[in-house]
Amino acid sequence: MAVTLTSKAAEHVAQFIAKRGKGLGVRLGVKTTGCSGLAYKLEFVDQPAAEDLTFESFGVKVLVDPKSLPYIDGTELDYTREGLNEGFKFNNPNVKSECGCGESFKV
């Protein structure tokens, strides 16, 4: 069981934490929403929760709550630039379908 970051994603997170002046890493989870049922939630973490599972890629910690892990196990978080757009991309092997707008997914 693992959630990983690409080197570009880890570099982006590390730079943002440095600009913030504090931070332990990022928390990746899912929430129930959207037309397909689930959506990713990503936030910076200053303090871990007792139940958090911790993964590390390129020196950056990714914290995941145990309830979200079955939906995102094996996910690789990348940071991409496509034209004028840039942002995180979730490469999740568990996704069976996504909604047309790309905001939610189904496993």
Side-chain angles (χ1 to χ4, degrees), residues 2-22:
V3 175
T4 59
L5 300 171
T6 64
S7 61
K8 281 187 178 184
E11 181 180 330
H12 183 77
V13 170
Q15 287 175 352
F16 195 85
I17 289 172
K19 284 180 187 176
R20 284 180 78 220
K22 63 178 180 176

Side-chain angles (χ1 to χ4, degrees), residues 23-73:
L24 177 65
V26 291
R27 178 175 286 113
L28 176 60
V30 296
K31 60 183 176 179
T32 304
T33 189
C35 47
S36 289
L38 297 169
Y40 298 105
K41 58 181 180 178
L42 185 65
E43 61 188 7
F44 287 93
V45 177
D46 294 327
Q47 293 292 324
E51 68 275 3
D52 281 340
L53 301 166
T54 304
F55 304 97
E56 191 168 327
S57 295
F58 301 99
V60 175
K61 292 183 180 179
V62 180
L63 290 85
V64 178
D65 69 273
K67 291 181 182 178
S68 293
L69 188 59
Y71 304 105
I72 59 175
D73 186 28

